[in-house]
Amino acid sequence: MGEDLVQLEIMLHRFNRLIGEVMKGGSPRNSFLPWELEILMDMDECEFERRRRMEILRQYQRAVAKQMEKGPGPPMKLSEFLRLRAERSAMLRNRRPEPPQEPGGLQCETRH
């Protein structure tokens, strides 16, 4: 179990380093693990507003950190993050508002 946690921490560190390099505009290294290449190729295929690129990448980085806290790697791909975010947003838009209540959450009763 302890070895798994160490491996997750190493993977998260490598992921954070990779995202940092992407945010800076490139990577000085020429050696990548297979899952890092998959993430880079997936990022290249993803379409999102370029002006929001940094914000989206930071949100993605936080989501991966949460994912890695809960379970095994490798980190989710950006496309998966964007899909989950879109689904969550659609769910929130489709929620129906609750009927209005009296202040304090109490309902009035009338007697005849």
Side-chain angles (χ1 to χ4, degrees), residues 6 8 14-16 18-19 23 25-26 32 37 50-51 53 60 68 73 80 88-89 97 99 106 108:
V6 170
L8 280 176
R14 287 188 69 102
F15 173 80
N16 286 330
L18 181 68
I19 293 300
M23 289 175 149
F32 298 92
L37 287 174
R50 290 291 175 201
R51 63 184 174 86
R53 180 178 186 264
Y60 171 50
M68 301 292 279
E80 182 180 356
R88 191 176 308 120
S89 179
L106 301 174
C108 295

Side-chain angles (χ1 to χ4, degrees), residues 33-49:
L33 294 176
W35 64 264
E36 290 175 307
L37 287 174
E38 288 179 22
I39 286 175
L40 288 172
M41 291 187 308
D42 181 67
M43 281 182 176
D44 195 43
E45 294 176 6
C46 287
E47 293 181 17
F48 53 88
E49 296 176 51

Side-chain angles (χ1 to χ4, degrees):
M1 180 78 173
E3 189 174 313
D4 290 341
L5 289 175
V6 170
Q7 290 302 317
L8 280 176
E9 284 185 34
I10 291 170
M11 189 176 283
L12 182 57
H13 175 73
R14 287 188 69 102
F15 173 80
N16 286 330
R17 181 175 151 203
L18 181 68
I19 293 300
E21 292 167 351
V22 168
M23 289 175 149
K24 290 178 183 171
S27 176
R29 52 188 175 129
N30 56 10
S31 176
F32 298 92
L33 294 176
W35 64 264
E36 290 175 307
L37 287 174
E38 288 179 22
I39 286 175
L40 288 172
M41 291 187 308
D42 181 67
M43 281 182 176
D44 195 43
E45 294 176 6
C46 287
E47 293 181 17
F48 53 88
E49 296 176 51
R50 290 291 175 201
R51 63 184 174 86
R52 296 191 57 221
R53 180 178 186 264
M54 297 300 269
E55 175 189 347
I56 289 170
L57 289 176
R58 279 192 287 274
Q59 290 173 359
Y60 171 50
Q61 191 173 21
R62 285 191 301 268
V64 167
K66 286 181 184 178
Q67 173 209 355
M68 301 292 279
E69 285 176 8
K70 294 178 183 177
M76 75 175 103
K77 294 177 183 175
L78 179 61
S79 59
E80 182 180 356
F81 165 74
L82 293 173
R83 181 185 54 79
L84 291 171
R85 193 175 86 157
E87 288 174 2
R88 191 176 308 120
S89 179
M91 274 183 23
L92 292 174
R93 278 194 309 268
N94 292 331
R95 276 191 182 165
R96 293 186 181 159
E98 293 184 21
Q101 292 184 350
E102 292 287 323
L106 301 174
Q107 300 260 345
C108 295
E109 291 183 30
T110 54
R111 292 187 200 179
H112 292 117

